[in-house]
Amino acid sequence: MLKLPVTGSVCDVTSRDEREKLMEKVSSLFKGKLNILINNAGTALFSSANDVTPEDYSLIMSTNVESGFHLSQLAHPLLKASGAGNIIFIASIAGVLALQDLTLYSMSKGAVVQLTKCLACEWAKDNIRTNGICPGVINTPLVENAPDFKSREASRTPLGRNGEPEEVAALAAFLCLPAASYISGQIICVDGARTVND
């Protein structure tokens, strides 16, 4: 059985300095090459657009958009050096649908959707594939404090339930396999058919 080393790092993705330190460590550990970058950091704010503060805006955009963009920039030479790099952005169905009291979050995830498409085209010449996943409501700590939202979205989902993290992870893993070598620039909803039932 093949044994691969596993290592972990802690990084505040809202900090430019910490993102740079993280990618320096990654470069050192993997000898200047990286096969996969999954931009999964995100946070949400349930609030009407009129109640959003400048601090709210800064937190959501730095976490959901700026961090993934900057980490991708930092990872680009490592992904290019691998000869077959993969970037996955975890966006949200909120990036393609308008959801109540999630204007700021939706705006940030819409930006992630567009970033995915742009990098897929721009970095294809470097053999880097870029895809985006738009989960519906997934049973994670992010939505635990929003029981009404969870219930409402489950009732609007044709499969009749919210998703599980493993159901998103399975798609991310597939998109990084050689079997997906001609898939790039795609935005794939993992949502129990929620986006086609609006």
Side-chain angles (χ1 to χ4, degrees):
M1 181 165 88
L2 178 65
K3 292 184 179 181
L4 299 173
V6 175
T7 184
S9 296
V10 175
C11 174
D12 175 359
V13 296
T14 65
S15 166
R16 187 173 188 88
D17 288 343
E18 287 202 30
R19 294 189 300 256
E20 290 171 351
K21 288 176 186 172
L22 173 66
M23 292 312 296
E24 286 169 8
K25 182 175 181 181
V26 167
S27 180
S28 175
L29 282 171
F30 297 107
K31 299 177 176 42
K33 294 183 180 180
L34 183 64
N35 294 78
I36 299 167
L37 173 66
I38 299 179
N39 290 298
N40 187 43
T43 191
L45 171 70
F46 291 90
S47 173
S48 69
N50 285 335
D51 292 333
V52 170
T53 68
E55 294 78 19
D56 295 335
Y57 181 88
S58 179
L59 174 65
I60 296 293
M61 297 307 280
S62 65
T63 304
N64 295 1
V65 183
E66 181 186 345
S67 67
F69 178 60
H70 188 217
L71 285 167
S72 297
Q73 286 181 310
L74 295 169
H76 176 265
L78 310 180
L79 293 161
K80 182 178 179 180
S82 78
N86 289 280
I87 300 173
I88 305 291
F89 285 99
I90 305 299
S92 168
I93 62 168
V96 296
L97 291 177
L99 298 178
Q100 182 180 340
D101 292 328
L102 282 170
T103 298
L104 182 58
Y105 177 75
S106 296
M107 182 172 63
S108 73
K109 292 302 186 174
V112 171
V113 166
Q114 195 60 29
L115 174 58
T116 300
K117 295 176 183 179
C118 291
L119 292 187
C121 295
E122 188 173 338
W123 292 352
K125 67 184 183 307
D126 300 320
N127 292 317
I128 298 171
R129 293 186 300 109
T130 305
N131 290 290
I133 299 175
C134 288
V137 176
I138 304 298
N139 292 321
T140 66
L142 187 64
V143 296
E144 286 307 309
N145 295 325
D148 293 342
F149 174 74
K150 284 179 63 175
S151 176
R152 183 183 77 223
E153 287 301 305
S155 72
R156 296 188 70 181
T157 300
L159 284 184
R161 64 177 177 84
N162 294 320
E164 297 299 330
E166 296 80 10
E167 294 172 304
V168 178
L171 176 59
F174 169 74
L175 288 171
C176 296
L177 292 173
S181 61
Y182 201 55
I183 301 173
S184 191
Q186 300 307 300
I187 305 299
I188 304 170
C189 294
V190 179
D191 66 352
R194 170 66 178 87
T195 50
V196 297
N197 194 43
D198 197 43

